[in-house]
C-alpha cells in the first residue's frame, strides 16, 4: 500500500490541472481566428485586384474618334447591325441612309428634327441569345 501511495504522489506531483491550460486555450483560439480572417481579407483583396486588372480597357485613347466640337440640339447615335458586317464591309452608306430616313420620319411625327451625330458598328456579343438565356436560367436566384 505504501508503494501505491508513493506512485500516486509521484504522478500527481508533475501533473498539471486542466484549469491551468485555459489561458493557453483562449490565446490559441483567438490567434487561430485572427489568422484565418486575415488570410480571408488578403484573398478578397487579391481577387478584387485581379478583377480590376483583368477588366482594364486596353484600347488607347488616341485611336478613339474625335467628337464634334459643336453639338447639335438633339442627336441620336446609330449603330449598324453586326450581321451586316461581313456583307457590307466597304460601303455602309445605304444602311446609314435608310436609318437616317427612319429617324427623319420619326422626328417628323413628333415635330422635331434629329441629326445623326455618329455611326458606330455594334460589337459582336460574346454569346448567342440562347446561350445567354441558358446561363441566366441556370444562375438565377432560387
Amino acid at each position: 500500500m505504501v508503494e501505491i501511495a508513493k506512485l500516486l504522489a509521484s504522478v500527481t506531483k508533475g501533473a498539471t490541472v486542466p484549469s491551468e491550460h485555459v489561458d493557453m486555450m483562449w490565446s490559441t483560439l483567438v490567434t487561430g481566428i485572427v489568422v484565418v480572417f486575415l488570410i480571408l481579407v488578403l484573398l478578397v483583396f487579391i481577387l478584387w485586384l485581379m478583377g480590376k486588372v483583368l477588366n482594364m480597357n486596353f484600347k488607347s485613347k488616341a485611336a478613339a474618334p474625335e467628337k464634334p466640337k459643336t453639338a447639335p440640339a438633339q442627336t441620336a447615335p446609330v449603330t449598324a447591325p453586326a450581321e451586316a458586317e461581313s456583307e457590307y464591309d466597304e460601303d455602309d452608306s445605304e444602311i446609314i441612309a435608310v436609318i437616317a430616313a427612319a429617324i427623319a420620319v420619326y422626328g417628323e411625327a413628333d415635330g422635331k428634327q434629329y441629326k445623326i451625330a455618329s455611326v458606330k458598328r455594334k460589337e459582336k456579343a460574346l454569346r448567342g441569345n440562347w446561350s445567354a438565356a441558358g446561363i441566366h436560367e441556370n444562375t438565377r436566384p432560387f
Side-chain angles (χ1 to χ4, degrees), residues 29-57:
L29 178 73
V30 169
T31 303
I33 290 173
V34 168
V35 167
V36 165
F37 278 102
L38 284 177
I39 290 174
L40 285 175
V41 168
L42 181 67
L43 284 173
V44 166
F45 176 73
I46 289 172
L47 291 174
W48 173 80
L49 186 64
M50 285 178 57
K52 288 293 184 183
V53 169
L54 294 176
N55 287 330
M56 287 177 60
N57 191 0

Side-chain angles (χ1 to χ4, degrees), residues 103-114:
I103 291 173
V105 169
Y106 175 75
E108 190 175 297
D110 290 343
K112 298 179 181 177
Q113 184 176 6
Y114 293 103

Side-chain angles (χ1 to χ4, degrees), residues 37-94:
F37 278 102
L38 284 177
I39 290 174
L40 285 175
V41 168
L42 181 67
L43 284 173
V44 166
F45 176 73
I46 289 172
L47 291 174
W48 173 80
L49 186 64
M50 285 178 57
K52 288 293 184 183
V53 169
L54 294 176
N55 287 330
M56 287 177 60
N57 191 0
F58 291 109
K59 295 179 182 175
S60 65
K61 292 182 180 183
E66 293 184 20
K67 295 182 179 179
K69 300 210 191 273
T70 58
Q74 295 177 350
T75 60
V78 177
T79 59
E83 295 86 22
E85 185 173 328
S86 63
E87 297 173 14
Y88 301 105
D89 278 339
E90 294 89 23
D91 190 21
D92 288 337
S93 59
E94 289 181 16

